[in-house]
Amino acid sequence: MELNDDSDFKKRKIVVAEALLQSVINDCKIKNYKKIKTFKGKDLKETICNHPFLDLGYDYDIPMLEARFVTIEQGTGIVHCAPSHGPDDFNLCINNGIKAIETVDGDGKYTKHVSLFEGIHIFKANPIVIEKLKEQKKLLSNGELMHSYPHSWRSKAPLVHRATPQWFISMESHKLRDKALKAINDTTFYPSKGKERLKSMIETRPDWCVSRQRVWGVPLPIFVNKKTKEILVDDEVNETIATIYEKEGSDCWFSDDPQRFLGSKYKAEDYEKLSDIVEVWFDSGSTHSFVLEKREDLKWPASMYLEGSDQHRGWFHSSLLESCGTRGRAPFENILSHGFVVDGKGLKMSKSLGNVIAPEDILKKYGADILRIWVASSNYSEDLRIDYSILDQHAESYRKIRNTFRYLLGNIKDNFEEIDFKKVDLNELPELEQFMLHKLYSLDVNFKKYFKNYDFHNLYKELLNFCTVDLSAFYFDIRKDSLYCDPLDSKKRKSTILLLNIILNSLLKWFAPILSFTTEEIYRLLFKNNKSIHLEKFLDFPNLFSNEKLHQKWLELIKIRNICNISIEEKRANKEIGSSLEADLSIHLDKKLEEITKNIDFSELCITSKAQISFKEKLETSAQTTKAKGTKCPVCWKISEVSCPRHP
């Protein structure tokens, strides 16, 4: 359009995005204009412009470039480009052969590359630049704009992007990217999703910038020839610098005479000593070399790197690149990453929110083993929630586990022994004990699998279920009659004591990594010496304990038992009976179940005074409970109309 008012811009032609025409007219208070022509933005391709300060020495061409990040929300639709002050502008100019020069120094002042304004702080330069534009009659209007701006998360001060000369490690020249991607494929990740996360970062990352401009840190020990601008590469000089660093630390690089590092081969006046420091992630990524390789009690590569999930971008990432660049492979065989501790609602813990729970407070209230249970039971692949209600639940679970140990210790008394599995004769044991040995064998297989895969929350869940369901609500419940009422030398009771010894020894070993203090307390109580459970090995169950056929049979028997228990509980709820020993059972089964129920005492299995079974073709399992008639035995508490056969 052409401006026709009486201002300094009369007869001046300007280009404005059509969608912004009205806002430009309003903002600039233009009273009289004429629209000359409408055309597409692509028609401006290869157009060369002059700088607004052409007459002040800015005598160079300004090409017009297509930028998809320019919007039509405000302005004129045409913006200036500052490749040294933002990633969008930087990438656009680099892709079009325009270099980003250093226009702002470390103090926030314009450099010599910005004539007229050199030495002026960028935050003080705006009014001066505006005044210069007005003098040159190159400014239609000016005003203030409110918009979001990047700020330092620490100091809350505004940040300014600036392009500075840096030192990079190429991802391509020595195939660093390819080596890193291969190393990722050779590494096992826990959880497995960490592999794709790290892989996608390596696939798309640019070259590695390893320099920073700060007043603290490890310096980059580099000399640059003042004339040729070439880097001094000399193994002897590098070794001299390394020796000095090893004795005195790296701070001497900033304070000592450069000639000391160069030795007699080179003159200090010919070289510029770099003042940049090494990026701290390069430092942390190098830890494997000066920790693992210099200690005889450790091995390289590390068995595992363990850290929070944010380290896929940090320590895992930099260690991988540093090691692949110097040694051709990753410095680790496995990576385990975990989430962050948050409160019960999933919110980040902070003092301002008042939702921080200190470990020492947990220890005072619950003890260390409850805290260890919380860790073991949490799915660390996600964030780990914690509050006092969650800890109370774990305290209740701990109570059940501790009561399991108390029950075992109370019944074994002084009869504890570490059973030699080779001497266990399965044929001499009742079916119930054989079934429980199969349970122990299967649990041990799962335990070792979970342990190998660092799947601790499933490991703990299975151990807890074994204590509460398989032991407390099943095996202990059934066998307490034999333990309390049978003679000490009865075969069944001896078999029960044998199994209780095996269960106790198994649980102690399995729970030792989780309940380290509780298991140690029990172990020392049993052995009455300073022997520690944490120096023992896990048990190795023989394959003979595995009996899948018997396992399937007892699963069917447990289904029948559960149906019987429902019938018993209905009578208990109606106050018709008290304990299950006041019940008589009538169980109705399909004919096909006759074989598996042969020789099974359902009064023992369901803990009732009497149980009768009837069979019929194609019959759904059912049970009826009636109140037992007769006299209660003072020993076993079973009720019968005749004298108790076990305790006449």
Side-chain angles (χ1 to χ4, degrees):
M1 70 178 186
E2 183 179 74
L3 306 182
N4 292 319
D5 52 16
D6 295 329
S7 69
D8 291 334
F9 301 98
K10 189 174 182 181
K11 295 296 181 181
R12 191 80 62 90
K13 295 180 178 64
I14 62 171
V15 180
V16 180
E18 190 170 26
L20 291 165
L21 177 60
Q22 198 58 49
S23 66
V24 170
I25 290 166
N26 294 339
D27 291 344
C28 299
K29 297 180 174 58
I30 297 171
K31 298 173 182 175
N32 195 357
Y33 70 93
K34 181 172 70 173
K35 188 187 288 188
I36 301 172
K37 184 180 180 182
T38 302
F39 57 91
K40 292 186 177 297
K42 64 181 181 181
D43 295 341
L44 293 171
K45 188 176 181 180
E46 297 182 355
T47 299
I48 303 297
C49 304
N50 289 329
H51 195 283
F53 291 154
L54 174 66
D55 298 335
L56 298 175
Y58 284 73
D59 186 11
Y60 50 85
D61 294 339
I62 310 290
M64 293 196 77
L65 307 173
E66 181 185 6
R68 297 191 177 277
F69 55 83
V70 179
T71 67
I72 54 170
E73 293 175 4
Q74 58 199 26
T76 63
I78 299 173
V79 301
H80 74 283
C81 226
S84 300
H85 299 287
D88 287 332
D89 291 14
F90 177 84
N91 290 322
L92 176 68
C93 290
I94 290 296
N95 292 335
N96 285 275
I98 301 171
K99 289 184 178 181
I101 57 174
E102 195 172 2
T103 54
V104 178
D105 64 20
D107 294 328
K109 297 176 180 177
Y110 284 119
T111 67
K112 62 182 179 181
H113 299 295
V114 186
S115 58
L116 303 178
F117 309 102
E118 182 182 353
I120 300 174
H121 195 279
I122 54 172
F123 290 161
K124 297 178 180 179
N126 287 343
I128 301 172
V129 173
I130 288 170
E131 200 55 42
K132 286 288 182 187
L133 286 167
K134 286 179 178 178
E135 288 176 9
Q136 297 296 307
K137 296 182 172 51
K138 299 291 175 64
L139 186 66
L140 281 176
S141 179
N142 66 279
E144 290 189 354
L145 180 69
M146 295 291 292
H147 68 104
S148 60
Y149 207 76
H151 281 68
S152 166
W153 64 272
R154 276 199 178 97
S155 66
K156 313 302 181 189
L159 298 175
V160 174
H161 287 283
R162 71 185 188 103
T164 57
Q166 302 292 346
W167 295 89
F168 292 86
I169 294 174
S170 171
M171 293 295 294
E172 309 298 343
S173 63
H174 289 77
K175 301 189 181 300
L176 179 56
R177 194 188 310 277
D178 294 341
K179 291 175 184 176
L181 291 173
K182 180 183 182 302
I184 289 172
N185 287 328
D186 294 339
T187 302
T188 304
F189 287 78
Y190 305 95
S192 56
K193 63 183 180 182
K195 179 177 183 177
E196 287 307 314
R197 186 176 181 192
L198 184 55
K199 188 176 181 181
S200 63
M201 290 177 181
I202 297 296
E203 284 175 338
T204 57
R205 71 153 295 139
D207 291 339
W208 188 5
C209 179
V210 292
S211 58
R212 293 290 185 272
Q213 291 70 50
R214 296 197 180 105
V215 294
W216 53 266
V218 178
L220 272 169
I222 296 174
F223 286 100
V224 180
N225 190 293
K226 291 179 180 178
K227 291 182 179 179
T228 64
K229 301 301 179 184
E230 291 182 357
I231 301 168
L232 176 61
V233 180
D234 189 308
D235 289 343
E236 189 179 325
V237 172
N238 291 338
E239 190 58 41
T240 300
I241 296 170
T243 303
I244 295 171
Y245 276 18
E246 202 166 337
K247 291 179 180 177
E248 303 177 22
S250 61
D251 285 353
C252 59
W253 176 263
F254 300 112
S255 57
D256 288 11
D257 186 346
Q259 195 64 57
R260 185 186 178 201
F261 303 107
L262 289 168
S264 57
K265 289 178 69 175
Y266 306 96
K267 293 181 179 180
E269 56 264 28
D270 295 336
Y271 289 90
E272 179 185 351
K273 185 178 70 170
L274 216 64
S275 60
D276 295 350
I277 67 160
V278 185
E279 188 219 9
V280 291
W281 284 116
F282 190 93
D283 281 346
S284 70
S286 306
T287 50
H288 65 91
S289 62
F290 51 79
V291 174
L292 301 180
E293 292 179 335
K294 292 192 176 184
R295 285 176 53 175
E296 293 182 2
D297 58 325
L298 299 177
K299 75 178 191 73
W300 191 98
S303 300
M304 173 176 285
Y305 270 38
L306 187 153
E307 252 293 357
S309 54
D310 59 331
Q311 297 305 315
H312 290 99
R313 191 177 297 280
W315 187 45
F316 301 151
H317 194 121
S318 61
S319 298
L320 174 71
L321 292 182
E322 194 280 338
S323 185
C324 286
T326 57
R327 289 154 178 80
R329 62 147 299 165
F332 39 69
E333 295 169 350
N334 303 279
I335 281 181
L336 189 150
S337 58
H338 55 81
F340 298 95
V341 178
V342 294
D343 70 8
K345 297 177 182 178
L347 299 174
K348 180 183 176 183
M349 287 192 175
S350 70
K351 291 179 181 177
S352 59
L353 290 175
N355 60 350
V356 176
I357 300 179
E360 53 267 30
D361 294 337
I362 298 172
L363 298 184
K364 289 175 186 175
K365 185 174 181 180
Y366 299 98
D369 277 351
I370 305 296
L371 185 60
R372 295 177 70 87
I373 281 179
W374 168 74
V375 175
S377 64
S378 300
N379 182 359
Y380 61 76
S381 64
E382 310 294 337
D383 285 344
L384 289 74
R385 297 190 178 206
I386 189 169
D387 60 21
Y388 284 113
S389 65
I390 292 172
L391 290 168
D392 285 340
Q393 294 171 20
H394 289 309
E396 179 62 22
S397 297
Y398 172 76
R399 188 183 62 80
K400 292 176 181 177
I401 296 167
R402 192 175 178 89
N403 283 344
T404 302
F405 280 120
R406 288 182 67 185
Y407 181 91
L408 289 164
L409 291 167
N411 282 287
I412 291 172
K413 292 185 180 177
D414 297 325
N415 296 322
F416 175 74
E417 57 179 313
E418 294 188 272
I419 305 298
D420 184 353
F421 292 152
K422 294 177 183 177
K423 294 180 181 179
V424 176
D425 187 352
L426 293 177
N427 296 322
E428 292 293 316
L429 297 178
E431 269 196 14
L432 179 56
E433 275 63 39
Q434 292 184 45
F435 169 64
M436 291 306 296
L437 283 176
H438 173 85
K439 279 272 187 184
L440 288 166
Y441 177 88
S442 301
L443 183 55
D444 186 61
V445 170
N446 288 342
F447 177 87
K448 287 171 180 172
K449 179 187 72 176
Y450 290 140
F451 221 93
K452 184 179 179 182
N453 294 325
Y454 306 97
D455 191 357
F456 301 117
H457 74 286
N458 279 320
L459 179 151
Y460 170 75
K461 183 170 69 175
E462 201 151 321
L463 288 176
L464 178 62
N465 285 341
F466 181 71
C467 288
T468 55
V469 179
D470 296 315
L471 293 181
S472 182
F474 180 68
Y475 182 70
F476 291 170
D477 209 23
I478 294 168
R479 281 294 184 246
K480 67 184 176 185
D481 179 69
S482 178
L483 285 168
Y484 299 162
C485 305
D486 285 356
L488 292 176
D489 59 350
S490 76
K491 185 177 179 181
K492 186 187 289 184
R493 194 179 188 283
K494 282 185 173 181
S495 297
T496 304
I497 293 295
L498 172 73
L499 194 71
L500 292 184
N501 271 285
I502 294 174
I503 291 171
L504 176 57
N505 206 16
S506 302
L507 289 178
L508 280 173
K509 301 291 175 62
W510 286 332
F511 272 116
I514 301 169
L515 305 178
S516 57
F517 297 98
T518 302
T519 52
E520 183 79 340
E521 178 188 355
I522 296 169
Y523 205 67
R524 295 198 175 189
L525 178 69
L526 292 169
F527 287 97
K528 297 179 174 61
N529 57 24
N530 290 325
K531 192 175 182 182
S532 173
I533 191 170
H534 303 297
L535 298 176
E536 299 297 309
K537 293 182 178 179
F538 290 120
L539 297 177
D540 192 10
F541 289 84
N543 293 333
L544 285 173
F545 284 5
S546 177
N547 190 335
E548 189 56 39
K549 184 178 179 181
L550 182 68
H551 177 237
Q552 292 303 321
K553 172 184 175 177
W554 273 83
L555 288 181
E556 288 297 325
L557 294 174
I558 289 170
K559 287 179 184 177
I560 298 169
R561 181 180 188 262
N562 290 340
I563 292 170
C564 293
N565 284 341
I566 292 171
S567 175
I568 293 168
E569 285 305 312
E570 287 176 355
K571 295 296 181 182
R572 281 166 57 88
N574 293 334
K575 309 289 185 183
E576 293 180 40
I577 61 172
S579 76
S580 62
L581 286 170
E582 294 180 23
D584 282 352
L585 277 173
S586 294
I587 307 168
H588 311 287
L589 303 175
D590 191 285
K591 192 78 174 170
K592 67 182 181 181
L593 295 173
E594 188 171 6
E595 183 61 32
I596 71 166
T597 56
K598 191 182 292 182
N599 301 323
I600 298 297
D601 183 355
F602 272 92
S603 67
E604 180 184 59
L605 195 60
C606 299
I607 316 170
T608 59
S609 285
K610 191 167 63 176
Q612 292 179 319
I613 305 176
S614 62
F615 299 97
K616 197 173 181 180
E617 296 286 353
K618 297 181 180 178
L619 185 68
E620 187 176 344
T621 300
S622 63
Q624 280 83 43
T625 300
T626 57
K627 187 175 176 65
K629 296 178 181 179
T631 307
K632 180 179 179 181
C633 173
V635 180
C636 65
W637 293 8
K638 288 198 173 185
I639 299 169
S640 64
E641 294 180 296
V642 296
S643 178
C644 179
R646 292 169 66 197
H647 311 104

